[in-house]
């Protein structure tokens, strides 16, 4: 081996070791498996090009990179790509930290405003807490709140609206209905709104927390279907399914997409999931601490995957899904939505 070739090999090994070490450090510090996997794959590629360049002979000839130095240079592009992905991860991490601050402020506001010192200490055992995340839903939230029952299967029902930085009268309408409201100072997305709601359920020491959208797509009259399996001790996580019940937009393009991603999650987890984007769900509050929820959007898939990964007893029940009663959808347009769902499924599965 020539001196120049030896220097290239040593440089490549050093770069690979640094990249692998950094990826391992980030993973142990709380990073995702996806970041670790990318770091190790890039490190492996650098090692192979540096030490055994013949293995890439076909590709280097196709690209006209007969010299090992040029081949190593091409791997540097992969390194830059990996660094770019790492930067995106850091941006997401900073976003999560900001979300934790917003959630912390909202929960503090709720505890001080709506819970006495006795309630904070003793909680509300047996309570079913309905969390209604809302962002600019003044057109439909009043009707939804009025339809929520006071009791379900003998258990007291309490409703809390998490106003996710609305610019309209959403919060005022909810307060006028006598419903407790906590507000995010800025719009953070439904994922953060639900994390705030889950934190409130833990502060309340409720038995069950249920997510109910403010747009009228789900029926409050069907709450008992979600609550019953948990009360009877059969499940910790109950998911509503439009395909087991009634779906007003059956046969639409969205229908096809939901079926595709549901089958994808079923394949990855080994558990049949029929409606992976359904937002009507009930979770046993004592199990919430097991779920590592990070996403600000497309969170329905993350919640399902985290629940299944952490062995929550899972059950699906038929529910109705209607068209939005008022207002505009908050889902991203065109391809942004399916690409976002795909990203969340893969990143959560690899976490």
């Amino acid at each position: 081996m020539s001196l120049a070739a030896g220097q290239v090999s040593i440089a490549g090994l050093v770069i690979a070791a640094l990249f692998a070490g950094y990826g391992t450090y980030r993973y142990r510090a709380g990073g995702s498996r996806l970041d670790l996997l990318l770091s190790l794959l890039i490190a492996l590629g650098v090692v192979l090009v540096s030490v055994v360049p013949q293995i890439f002979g076909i590709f280097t000839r196709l690209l006209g990179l007969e010299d090992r130095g040029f081949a190593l240079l091409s791997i540097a592009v992969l390194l830059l790509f990996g660094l770019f992905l790492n930067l995106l991860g850091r941006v997401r991490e900073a976003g999560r930290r900001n979300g934790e601050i917003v959630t912390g402020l909202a929960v503090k506001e709720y505890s001080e405003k709506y819970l006495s010192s006795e309630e904070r200490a003793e909680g509300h055992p047996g309570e079913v807490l309905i969390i209604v995340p809302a962002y600019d839903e003044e057109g439909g939230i009043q009707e939804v709140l009025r339809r929520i029952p006071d009791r379900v299967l003998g258990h007291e029902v309490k409703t809390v609206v998490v106003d996710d930085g609305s610019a309209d009268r959403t919060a005022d309408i909810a307060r006028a209905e006598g419903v407790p409201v906590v507000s995010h100072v800025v719009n953070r997305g439904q994922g953060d709104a639900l994390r705030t709601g889950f934190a409130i359920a833990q502060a309340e020491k409720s038995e069950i927390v249920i997510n109910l959208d403010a747009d009228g797509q789900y029926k409050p009259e069907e709450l008992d279907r979600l609550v019953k399996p948990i009360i009877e001790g059969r499940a910790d996580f109950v998911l509503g399914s439009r395909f087991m019940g009634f779906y007003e937009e059956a046969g639409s393009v969205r229908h096809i997409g939901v079926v595709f991603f549901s089958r994808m999650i079923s394949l990855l987890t080994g558990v049949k999931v029929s409606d992976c984007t359904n937002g009507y769900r009930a979770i046993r509050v004592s199990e919430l601490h097991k779920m590592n929820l990070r996403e600000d959007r497309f969170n329905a898939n993350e919640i399902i995957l985290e629940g299944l990964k952490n062995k929550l007893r899972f059950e699906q029940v038929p529910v109705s899904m209607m068209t939005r009663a008022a207002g505009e959808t908050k889902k991203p347009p065109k391809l942004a939505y399916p690409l976002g769902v795909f990203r969340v499924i893969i990143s959560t599965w690899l976490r």
Side-chain angles (χ1 to χ4, degrees):
M1 181 184 294
S2 68
L3 179 61
Q7 290 174 337
V8 169
S9 296
I10 293 172
L13 290 173
V14 170
I15 292 172
L18 289 173
F19 211 86
Y22 177 73
T24 302
Y25 168 77
R26 291 285 299 165
Y27 176 67
R28 289 181 175 176
S32 70
R33 291 181 184 176
L34 179 60
D35 290 338
L36 175 63
L37 180 61
L38 287 172
S39 298
L40 295 180
L41 286 175
I42 292 172
L44 177 62
V46 173
V47 168
L48 291 175
V49 169
S50 303
V51 180
V52 194
Q54 300 91 327
I55 198 169
F56 290 102
I58 295 175
F59 301 104
T60 55
R61 283 193 294 273
L62 286 174
L63 297 173
L65 301 175
E66 300 295 340
D67 184 84
R68 182 163 55 173
F70 284 106
L72 186 58
L73 185 62
S74 68
I75 293 299
V77 175
L78 292 177
L79 287 172
L80 290 174
F81 180 67
L83 290 172
F84 171 72
L85 292 177
N86 181 262
L87 178 61
L88 288 181
R90 286 175 175 269
V91 171
R92 290 198 298 269
E93 185 177 337
R96 286 195 295 271
R97 287 198 296 268
N98 291 337
E100 290 171 0
I101 293 172
V102 171
T103 289
L105 291 172
V107 175
K108 184 175 185 292
E109 173 196 351
Y110 180 85
S111 295
E112 293 176 348
K113 193 172 183 179
Y114 298 109
L115 295 179
S116 66
S117 57
E118 291 79 10
E119 287 176 313
R120 286 195 289 270
E122 299 176 6
H124 296 90
E127 177 185 78
V128 175
L129 186 67
I130 312 295
I131 298 299
V132 182
Y135 174 55
D136 289 348
E137 295 289 358
E138 65 179 5
I141 191 169
Q142 183 180 63
E143 179 64 23
V144 170
L145 296 177
R146 289 181 175 180
R147 290 165 58 193
I148 296 175
D150 295 327
R151 299 185 68 83
V152 57
L153 299 179
H155 289 249
E156 180 184 355
V157 173
K158 183 174 183 178
T159 303
V160 175
V161 170
V162 180
D163 172 34
D164 190 30
S166 296
D168 64 3
R169 297 178 56 251
T170 295
D172 293 335
I173 292 172
R175 291 190 188 98
E177 292 298 317
V179 175
V181 177
V182 292
S183 296
H184 288 173
V185 294
V186 293
N187 176 248
R188 291 290 309 167
Q190 191 181 60
D192 273 354
L194 288 179
R195 275 191 291 277
T196 294
F198 290 155
I200 288 173
Q202 291 170 315
E204 283 264 355
K205 297 182 175 63
S206 306
E207 182 174 353
I208 301 170
V209 60
I210 293 181
N211 305 140
L212 176 64
D213 288 354
D215 57 14
Q217 286 192 294
Y218 303 114
K219 293 185 174 183
E221 295 83 3
E222 296 175 346
L223 282 174
D224 59 320
R225 303 182 187 182
L226 297 164
V227 170
K228 187 176 182 180
I230 297 179
I231 290 177
E232 293 182 348
R234 303 196 313 268
D236 303 309
F237 180 177
V238 181
L239 179 67
S241 172
R242 75 194 85 180
F243 302 120
M244 295 170 63
F246 173 75
Y247 184 27
E248 202 164 38
E249 294 184 7
S252 64
V253 174
R254 180 177 297 177
H255 179 154
I256 297 171
V258 173
V259 170
F260 171 79
F261 287 119
S262 296
R263 290 181 178 175
M264 181 178 177
I265 289 179
S266 300
L267 180 63
L268 292 174
T269 63
V271 177
K272 185 177 180 181
V273 176
S274 64
D275 191 356
C276 70
T277 64
N278 199 297
Y280 206 10
R281 67 182 74 84
I283 303 174
R284 191 183 301 276
V285 173
S286 62
E287 301 297 305
L288 287 174
H289 72 281
K290 297 179 180 179
M291 303 170 70
N292 179 15
L293 304 177
R294 306 178 182 180
E295 297 294 333
D296 55 355
R297 303 185 191 280
F298 315 111
N299 54 291
N301 306 280
E302 180 188 39
I303 292 173
I304 293 171
L305 285 165
E306 279 293 317
L308 295 178
K309 283 168 58 178
N310 287 286
K311 309 301 182 184
L312 271 64
R313 292 173 297 168
F314 179 68
E315 191 168 317
Q316 298 172 93
V317 296
V319 298
S320 303
M321 187 166 184
M322 319 304 291
T323 56
R324 168 180 278 272
E328 297 180 356
T329 181
K330 308 304 186 298
K331 292 182 174 64
K334 299 181 181 179
L335 288 177
Y337 183 74
L339 289 176
V341 171
F342 180 79
R343 178 190 65 78
V344 168
I345 290 174
I346 296 301
S347 62
T348 304
W349 183 63
L350 289 173
R351 189 178 297 163

